[in-house]
Every structure is written in structure tokens, then in C-alpha cells.
Amino acid sequence: MSQQALHLMLPADAGWLAAERPENPLVTTVLLRVQGLTAARLREFLHVYWGAWERFHFRPEPYAGYWRWQESANFDVRQHLDIVLDRFTAPQQQPWINAVISQPLPIYRPLWKFWLAPNAVGGGLLLLRIHHCYADSASLAQLFEQLFTASPQQHPVLYGAAHPADLDRWLQCAKNWLSERVFGAEGPPPENDAVQMAAAAGQLPGTFRSSAATALELAGQLGSYLAQPDDSPSNLSRPLTGQRQCCWSAAIPDASLQAAAQTLGVSSRDVLAACLTAALRAQLGLSPQALEQAQINLLLPVDVRPQLPTSLRPALSEPGNGSGSERLLLPIDGDSFVERVYRIKQEVRRLRDSLQPLLTWGLTACSAFLPEMIKQTPLWPFAARPSAALASFDGAGVVRYLAGCRVDELVAWSPQIADAGISVTACRYAGQLRLTVVADHSANLDVQRFQSDCMVALNQALVSHLDN
């Protein structure tokens, strides 16, 4: 196998490069508040531990109509770190982050970068921006789990990985998986084995019927998915500009949310979606009559790794992509929190057996192989554009340490996948939950007010649970 073939990107990674556009770079942002972290300690940490993942030494590069990983010449982690000595007060931190997340990453280096503001009031701020082609939220959270330690005296024990991209192996695994679907685990019979060929021929009618039924179901769901209409016109459906604003909430105990969801007989994601729906009602700029007829969808990223065959499943211990998405129709016309949360539960139940997450994962992967003109078709892997997205970033359950320094907070902003006007991320760390919000300037949205409306609805749901 040639060196070039070895570093061709896996379709699940390359699809994110095919789907992005200049006004919507698909970049994930992670913010850590780390007490006492200095520039010298961070440089050493990045050199020894972060750099142990070979993928971070590579940058994506177009190659013969596809994408490959190209090792960065003279790679140096110091080129991926900016030290900001400003003494950011609390009101100054959000505008600084707004400016950083609106900057494009240099394409001539690996697409990730750190910013450290060690003098920020309340504890040093460590900001990471990394392109989605390197890792999704699940594998990025797992990567941080390996880098964090239980005490300041410990060092990470298991960390780093060899560069995993091997397109030939991936394609062979996909071929073997399809063969198993048709011929079973034993595979097709040898050509010169007449007995086994005859036995297989006797089983073909049943096999074909089963395969045809599966294919028809898949085709039906694919057609239904691609035919979905766009959301109702609102200030969240305007074209993106690439200029963003963000915020993050104060922490609440995650256990309180889980207890409230259990009492209601729904999932915590259902509760969060209902709170987001309440905040959207006030922000869409629609009249009460228009709200009754509005169709507003929420994009929900879903980890499809458990549904994939082992041979195709990206390991969480390695940076990579294994996420699809599903569209949830929001009850924007609902009059109360209880009505909204149970209507969301019913919609989630309808989607429970849907192949939408696998379809979007597969469509994203396939888009990497399409001609350039079709690649630029807006949102092709995601069908119609949703108004909002709700993602999650699950960090460690207890307080951990990075480079011997205590990590007090961890929040993340997921990219605005499918050009969603607003993206909300539920971030869990050390038993606490925070909501982050990022929106494009085109939405003309007060993100701080929107986040506040979400938290008001969430706190009302928690209080109602305690009263019951």
C-alpha cells in the first residue's frame, strides 16, 4: 500500500470537509477554566500528551477530488498556541471568545488551535478550536477524559494513538459487512464447491426477500428524509454570515435534571428540548397566529457507533467521527411546559426505530465522494435546514486536573450543523450542567437573553418537580 493511499481520509471524516462552507466552518470550541495553568506548563503538556495523537500532526488536503491527511512539515505545537495576557474580567470574556470563534483557522496547518488567558479573573481560560473532521463531540470528550487526571500529582497513563486513517481497510470492512448481510456470517461459497453453491441457491429466495424488504424500508426512509420541507421562515432561517456570538450559563446540579426527568417519565434531553422550545417562542419573531402554523425542527446529533458493525465502528479512544443526526419537530405552539415535554416524548418515540441517524452518517460519508458541484449543494447530507440544534458534551463526572492544575469548568460549543440558526449544547462536568449557545449574527438574536429564557424554563421545571 502506498503512503498516499494510507493517508486517504475515512469517509466519515472527509464528509465534514465536503459539507462545510466559508460562512459555516464546522469547528467545535471547548472552553476550560483551569486554575494556575501557565504558558510553560501548557506548552510541555501539548508537546508530550496532546501531540501523542498522530492525527493532530496532519492537516486535511484536497487530493484527486477527495481528501487526504497530509503531515504538517516542521510540526510544532507552539504554532498552535496563543498566549493572551489580558486580565479579562467577567464582562470581557464573552466578547473575547466571540472574536476568537469568528476567526478562520489557518488551512496551511493542522486545523486546531489553543488560546490561553492565564490572567483572566476567576481562573485561567483555556480555549480550544478544532475542526469536526478530526473528532466529534463524543470522541473529543473521551480524549479529554484520557488527558485529565484524578489528582495534581498524577500524569495521564493511557493516551495517544497512531494515525488510524486507512481507507482500503475501511472499504474492505464495508464490503465484508454487506456480504454478511446477503450470505450470512460464513460468506459466499467457494466457486468450485458445487454442494455449497446448491445449498446457497436454495436459500436465495428467502435471502432476497429479506434483503429486498430491508432495501425498501431504507429507500422509503431515505426518500422521506430528503423530502422534508424547510422550517417556517423566521429570523433563524436567514443565510449565515460566519460572524458568531456565544454565551454560557451558570451551573445547575445535573442530578436535579435527571430526577425531574425521571419523575416526568421522560429523558433529560426531552426536558432540555422542551425548555429550548419555550425560549424559541419568544425569539422567533412570529405572531401568535403564525406560531400556530409554524414548523420548527430541532437537529439532534446521535452517536451511531453502537449501531455500526465492529469492523466499521470508530473507537472512542481515537479521534474520529461516528455521529449522525435526527430531526425533531418541536411543539412550538404548546401552551405549557408539561404539554411540550410530552409531545416531544411522543415525537422521540416515533423516531426511536428510525434510520435517520445512520442515514445522515452515511450521507455525510458519501458526500466526500461526490463531484465538486454537488458537494456545494447546501445541506445535502442533512436534507432541509433546521432552525436550531441541541447537542451534548459529557465531560468527567468529578473534578479532574489538567497538567497538574484543577479544571473548575468545562463548556463546549458545537458547530452550527446544517446551517442551524442557533446551536445549544448541554455540557456536563463534575456533576454540573451548563448550557452554551452560539448563533450567527444574521439571526439578530440576543444569545444572552435566549440562554436566560432556557434556564428560566429549566429552573421552573426543576421547581415543579420538587413541589410534586
Side-chain angles (χ1 to χ4, degrees), residues 4 10 49 51 173 188 252 337 350 369 385 395:
Q4 289 181 341
L10 298 183
Y49 298 106
C173 290
I252 64 169
F337 170 80
R350 184 185 67 81
F369 297 100
R385 174 183 176 177

Side-chain angles (χ1 to χ4, degrees), residues 277-318:
T277 304
L280 279 174
R281 283 176 59 92
Q283 296 287 333
L284 286 174
L286 299 177
S287 66
Q289 294 78 11
L291 280 175
E292 293 292 329
Q293 305 297 325
Q295 175 171 291
I296 303 297
N297 282 279
L298 181 68
L299 194 72
L300 298 169
V302 177
D303 188 1
V304 300
R305 289 174 177 85
Q307 302 176 56
L308 294 175
T310 305
S311 56
L312 297 178
R313 189 180 304 162
L316 271 177
S317 59
E318 300 173 353

Side-chain angles (χ1 to χ4, degrees), residues 62-108:
Y63 175 73
Y66 190 65
W67 293 86
R68 69 174 177 178
W69 292 110
Q70 177 65 42
E71 188 166 12
S72 181
N74 303 317
F75 173 79
D76 189 342
V77 295
R78 291 175 296 182
Q79 297 174 336
H80 295 264
L81 173 62
D82 277 0
I83 305 300
V84 184
L85 298 178
D86 300 51
R87 186 173 172 80
F88 291 119
T89 62
Q92 295 171 329
Q93 292 170 15
Q94 184 177 325
W96 171 61
I97 296 173
N98 287 342
V100 170
I101 66 175
S102 297
Q103 300 173 6
L105 292 171
I107 60 174
Y108 51 86

Side-chain angles (χ1 to χ4, degrees), residues 349-391:
R349 180 176 295 177
R350 184 185 67 81
L351 293 171
R352 183 170 300 162
D353 297 325
S354 169
L355 295 176
Q356 273 194 30
L358 277 175
L359 284 173
T360 54
W361 180 81
L363 289 173
T364 303
C366 290
S367 65
F369 297 100
L370 295 176
E372 194 64 30
M373 180 170 27
I374 303 178
K375 282 183 183 179
Q376 297 306 315
T377 301
L379 319 180
W380 183 85
F382 302 98
R385 174 183 176 177
S387 296
L390 174 61

